Amino acid sequence: MSVFAAILSSFCLINDHPDVISLQAAAVDGVLSAFRSICGDDGVSLGEAVREQHGKDESFHRCRPPDVVVFPRCVEEVSALAKLCHRHQLPIIPFGTGTGLEGGVGAVKGGVCFSLRNMDQILDLHPEDFDVTVEPGVTRKALNSYLRETGLWFPVDPGADASLCGMAATSASGTNAVRYGTMRENVMNLEVVLADGSIIHTAGKNRRPRKTAAGYNLTNLFVGSEGTLGLITKTTLRLYGVPEEMVSAVCSFSSVQAAVDSTVQILQAGVPIARIEFLDEVMIDACNRFSSLSYPVSPTLFLEFHGSERSLEEQVNTTEGITQSNGGSDFQWARDVETRNRLWKARHDAWYAAQAMRPGCKAYATDVCVPLSRLPQIIVETKEDLIESRLTGHIVGHVGDGNFHCLMVMDPSDQDELHRVHLFTERLARRALAMDGTCTGEHGVGLGKRSLLCEEVGPSAIQVMQSLKDAIDPKNLMNPGKILV
């Protein structure tokens, strides 16, 4: 094992016992013909390249390819495949677009990857009720393209063009969360295939009320479960009217403290801002270079306002007054669609911009979230920690809801640097916990933050989670090794 892999494996313990692998491989061989009878010869792949593609995401965790990849075309095929896996005790790993950041799709115990890309139908659009139901192969960009002529849109935007059911599984968030909420607030119902192949609808089949007080909240039990409880095969989502007007602005500051203080004050003033993103000077420099921009290399806020022309004027005036009182620059405006899209593309390309600063190196991302009032303190302390740790780190985040990310670029062959990154990420997470926050605002737990989850919620809550897992998936077949140890 390389030094790089050895350090990463400290995040988790993986069962690689040869007897287990041998028995599982034999079980897979025994069901291949049955798999092919369900989803066709082209719906089953043993190819090494395909398996490796489906054994990794955008995280730093090393690739753990499944034994086989299946490509079901409908929920009935998903159910039939799951029943076979259940009968032969084969792990099941759901796969959407592979854009996760915590190793959530790695087949740490081998098994069968269910790639859901062929289930890509937008099934039921009810514009008069502001909701839509989609299959797991539908991405957020595809949905919004489909909605373009309706005057509606789905605003949850994690940056990557992730699948919407995958976004539900990871409780995705993003740049618009400060106004529109996360997936947890925008998923109304889910169709889920459980480990034994049974199909459930978390709010009842075809139900789509705007609210309900009926029974346990099964929908939100599966939102954020990261594939450990079932395969999401449909999700019903809230939609929103496209705002009458949208305008974006960029404002630079002399210090991190001033930029983040402005964020807190804008929200405390009740400005219904749609997006407010913070980029430190290291990140701005990277974005300037990568996206051919020319913003001042200093702590910066990217802002966006949605509403009527009159309401925008009020929002902008209040926000400008607050930023200027904190020493912020005059706003640089992005009013037309093309300029706004270019601005936000630069923000979404931050991951690639960071990597480009050190060619040949790899990026590692981690995120935390804290109560809004603690945001200035934690960002300032984190910035100081990055400098003291001698790390190439970029800070960027959805500061409107107290969430930010550190993107670190490091040499995977440098053992000392890897060790410093590992220690830094643990300090950052525990710093957030000490400030009454969470070790992950939106990346999820996956492989890397399982021990931190225990510190966050405590052993009694972990036991409740484990009891739920045992009740729903007693054979531990659904994405084993994730979230819970």
Side-chain angles (χ1 to χ4, degrees):
M1 184 184 295
S2 68
V3 170
F4 175 49
I7 290 175
L8 288 180
S9 68
S10 67
F11 285 97
C12 60
L13 296 174
I14 297 172
N15 185 359
D16 280 335
H17 194 283
D19 290 342
V20 174
I21 294 173
S22 178
L23 287 170
Q24 194 158 279
V28 169
D29 288 341
V31 296
L32 285 177
S33 61
F35 284 170
R36 292 188 177 105
S37 71
I38 293 169
C39 47
D41 289 345
D42 59 352
V44 179
S45 179
L46 295 169
E48 183 178 353
V50 174
R51 291 189 299 110
E52 286 191 358
Q53 175 195 352
H54 288 82
K56 62 183 177 182
D57 54 17
E58 295 285 350
S59 76
F60 227 89
H61 297 282
R62 60 191 175 120
C63 179
R64 290 280 177 170
D67 298 307
V68 60
V69 182
V70 294
F71 299 88
R73 295 159 294 194
C74 61
V75 65
E76 290 78 15
E77 289 186 1
V78 174
S79 174
L81 291 165
K83 287 176 181 176
L84 278 171
C85 291
H86 190 261
R87 188 180 311 146
H88 294 275
Q89 300 196 46
L90 294 172
I92 297 170
I93 305 96
F95 188 94
T97 57
T99 54
L101 291 167
E102 285 295 342
V105 298
V108 297
K109 296 187 178 181
V112 184
C113 174
F114 282 54
S115 180
L116 303 171
R117 69 186 187 193
N118 291 337
M119 298 172 62
D120 59 357
Q121 298 300 303
I122 297 171
L123 298 169
D124 293 297
L125 171 63
H126 301 96
E128 70 281 5
D129 295 323
F130 294 83
D131 65 64
V132 66
T133 300
V134 301
E135 289 186 327
V138 180
T139 67
R140 65 174 186 86
K141 286 184 180 179
L143 176 60
N144 281 326
S145 177
Y146 181 88
L147 295 172
R148 189 169 292 145
E149 303 302 321
T150 68
L152 301 174
W153 71 315
F154 184 69
V156 180
D157 176 7
D161 189 23
S163 64
L164 290 157
C165 287
M167 288 167 59
T170 56
S171 192
S173 182
T175 57
N176 287 311
V178 62
R179 177 156 181 170
Y180 299 99
T182 71
M183 289 300 286
R184 207 171 283 280
E185 290 78 46
N186 287 289
V187 174
M188 302 168 66
N189 199 352
L190 294 170
E191 178 184 81
V192 181
V193 176
L194 301 180
D196 64 0
S198 58
I199 303 169
I200 68 166
H201 299 84
T202 57
K205 190 171 184 179
N206 299 325
R207 306 290 177 196
R208 48 189 183 87
R210 302 294 286 183
K211 64 179 182 178
T212 176
Y216 296 148
N217 190 341
L218 293 182
T219 300
N220 272 352
L221 175 62
F222 284 90
V223 173
S225 62
E226 301 183 38
T228 62
L229 299 179
L231 296 119
I232 298 174
T233 52
K234 290 188 186 72
T235 178
T236 301
L237 303 167
R238 294 176 184 267
L239 300 176
Y240 296 80
V242 174
E244 179 184 329
E245 298 283 345
M246 296 185 188
V247 63
S248 299
V250 180
C251 181
S252 57
F253 295 83
S254 60
S255 69
V256 170
Q257 183 80 45
V260 184
D261 281 346
S262 293
T263 299
V264 175
Q265 292 165 21
I266 289 165
L267 295 168
Q268 288 175 337
V271 177
I273 198 161
R275 306 187 192 188
I276 183 163
E277 298 284 299
F278 170 79
L279 288 78
D280 73 353
E281 71 279 5
V282 182
M283 190 72 258
I284 282 288
D285 185 35
C287 287
N288 279 345
R289 294 168 184 258
F290 187 80
S291 301
S292 301
L293 302 173
S294 56
Y295 295 120
V297 180
S298 59
T300 300
L301 292 180
F302 284 18
L303 310 104
E304 187 164 279
F305 307 89
H306 295 176
S308 65
E309 186 174 342
R310 183 173 179 180
S311 70
L312 285 189
E313 182 179 355
E314 182 179 348
Q315 292 179 49
V316 168
N317 288 340
T318 302
T319 303
E320 275 192 308
I322 290 170
T323 58
Q324 289 174 1
S325 71
N326 286 293
S329 68
D330 291 337
F331 283 180
Q332 296 184 49
W333 293 103
R335 296 181 184 275
D336 62 277
V337 173
E338 183 178 347
T339 307
R340 281 193 294 104
N341 287 345
R342 185 165 176 259
L343 169 69
W344 291 107
K345 184 178 188 305
R347 162 62 186 87
H348 288 324
D349 284 346
W351 171 268
Y352 306 104
Q355 286 193 102
M357 294 292 280
R358 290 182 69 184
C361 292
K362 300 289 185 181
Y364 174 80
T366 189
D367 85 309
V368 296
C369 188
V370 296
L372 208 56
S373 63
R374 309 302 295 271
L375 193 60
Q377 179 186 351
I378 192 170
I379 289 186
V380 169
E381 290 181 8
T382 299
K383 185 75 177 171
E384 293 171 351
D385 194 353
L386 280 169
I387 294 169
E388 291 173 3
S389 300
R390 296 176 289 113
L391 294 173
T392 303
H394 311 67
I395 296 179
V396 56
H398 322 307
V399 287
D401 50 14
N403 178 213
F404 70 95
H405 313 260
C406 280
L407 309 181
M408 286 154 289
V409 187
M410 53 187 173
D411 180 356
S413 65
D414 186 334
Q415 179 178 4
D416 178 65
E417 185 175 26
L418 289 168
H419 185 60
R420 283 184 278 120
V421 167
H422 179 65
L423 294 177
F424 167 82
T425 58
E426 287 198 338
R427 285 196 302 273
L428 173 58
R430 292 192 171 96
R431 188 178 299 126
L433 295 180
M435 294 183 185
D436 304 325
T438 174
C439 67
T440 175
E442 63 183 22
H443 289 186
V445 175
L447 290 171
K449 293 188 173 179
R450 295 183 303 175
S451 61
L452 290 164
L453 176 65
C454 186
E455 292 181 33
E456 180 170 326
V457 303
S460 295
I462 289 290
Q463 184 55 53
V464 172
M465 292 184 194
Q466 187 65 60
S467 297
L468 289 167
K469 167 73 169 171
D470 293 343
I472 296 171
D473 178 22
K475 294 184 178 181
N476 190 27
L477 299 181
M478 289 304 312
N479 210 8
K482 316 299 166 51
I483 300 184
L484 301 171
V485 177

